[in-house]
Amino acid sequence: MVRWHALPASEVLEKLEVVAGDGLSSGEVELRLNRYGPNELPEEPPVPLWKLILQQFDDLLVKMLLAAAAVSTLLAFTESSDKFAHALVEPFVILLILVLNAIVGVWQESNAEKAIEALKEYEAGEAEVRRDGGAFRTIKAAELVPGDIVRIAVGGRAPADLRLLELTSTTLRADQAILTGESEPVMKEPEVVAEANAELQLR
């Protein structure tokens, strides 16, 4: 895996076989789009509720507890009638805990799916890109490919994972709250990140 953040800008351009002043040719864009696919999160169909519930019981410990509840229930039937209700307390408690665990698990899974959907709202719909040696033009962000030269203006959203080549302003601060939860924008520079294995937010 190439660690683009640890390479000088010139080496990044060389590896991606692109000239910053020209951008990619239309033919090369088509080839790369076929090779890498569109620049968007894959659409996954929502998991049905019944499948989410079944997933909560697909665990060794849960299966062992279900088996224990079943054995306890069978043993309860061997008890005398006056002790029968008391003998059912243990399996009932086990089943109640498992049901509550399943409810919490389904709720957490549903929240995770909603969070992923919310993330998609932050995706940039468009990108300014230079191609065929022309001026920057606006395209759909989904049409970006590795090697595209992208320009971001003040207040713009990063339409893809990008390697900063140069600044036309004195500084660049990026709001990474969606990635890290930090409330303050973080300074970004075109220089290489010294640590190749730096955390994602430091790249």
Side-chain angles (χ1 to χ4, degrees):
M1 187 177 87
V2 181
R3 303 193 183 281
W4 302 107
H5 58 281
L7 298 176
S10 57
E11 197 173 331
V12 170
L13 293 168
E14 187 182 325
K15 281 185 177 292
L16 291 171
E17 299 175 358
V18 61
V19 177
D22 297 333
L24 296 170
S25 66
S26 298
E28 185 62 28
V29 167
E30 197 171 329
L31 287 172
R32 295 186 188 196
L33 197 55
N34 289 332
R35 181 177 177 188
Y36 299 108
N39 171 47
E40 58 189 2
L41 292 172
E43 286 285 338
E44 291 186 16
V47 181
L49 182 62
W50 65 268
K51 200 173 266 189
L52 276 178
I53 294 169
L54 284 180
Q55 284 174 0
Q56 305 312 310
F57 294 94
D58 189 21
D59 181 80
L60 182 60
L61 181 61
V62 171
K63 288 174 183 174
M64 287 171 65
L65 287 170
L66 282 171
V71 169
S72 292
T73 304
L74 288 173
L75 290 174
F77 283 101
T78 64
E79 297 287 339
S80 58
S81 57
D82 56 326
K83 292 183 179 178
F84 178 72
H86 187 266
L88 282 178
V89 171
E90 186 179 316
F92 175 76
V93 169
I94 292 173
L95 289 174
L96 181 63
I97 290 169
L98 291 177
V99 168
L100 289 173
N101 179 61
I103 291 169
V104 171
V106 169
W107 178 72
Q108 286 178 329
E109 290 280 345
S110 300
N111 281 352
E113 283 186 13
K114 286 176 187 171
I116 290 170
E117 287 301 316
L119 280 176
K120 290 182 180 179
E121 292 178 14
Y122 286 91
E123 288 181 359
E126 296 180 334
E128 278 191 77
V129 66
R130 171 177 278 150
R131 289 179 177 169
D132 296 309
F136 281 95
R137 60 190 174 94
T138 304
I139 64 166
K140 290 180 180 176
E143 296 171 5
L144 286 174
V145 296
D148 263 328
I149 305 299
V150 178
R151 178 173 66 185
I152 300 179
V154 174
R157 291 180 178 176
D161 290 338
L162 303 173
R163 168 63 167 88
L164 191 60
L165 299 178
E166 66 172 335
L167 292 175
T168 53
S169 59
T170 52
T171 59
L172 169 67
R173 290 181 181 275
D175 180 358
Q176 299 184 150
I178 193 170
L179 183 66
T180 64
E182 294 172 290
S183 59
E184 292 295 318
V186 179
M187 189 81 75
K188 297 292 178 183
E189 297 174 352
E191 284 74 29
V192 298
V193 176
E195 190 183 338
N197 294 318
E199 292 178 355
L200 188 61
Q201 63 267 26
L202 299 177
R203 300 181 187 182

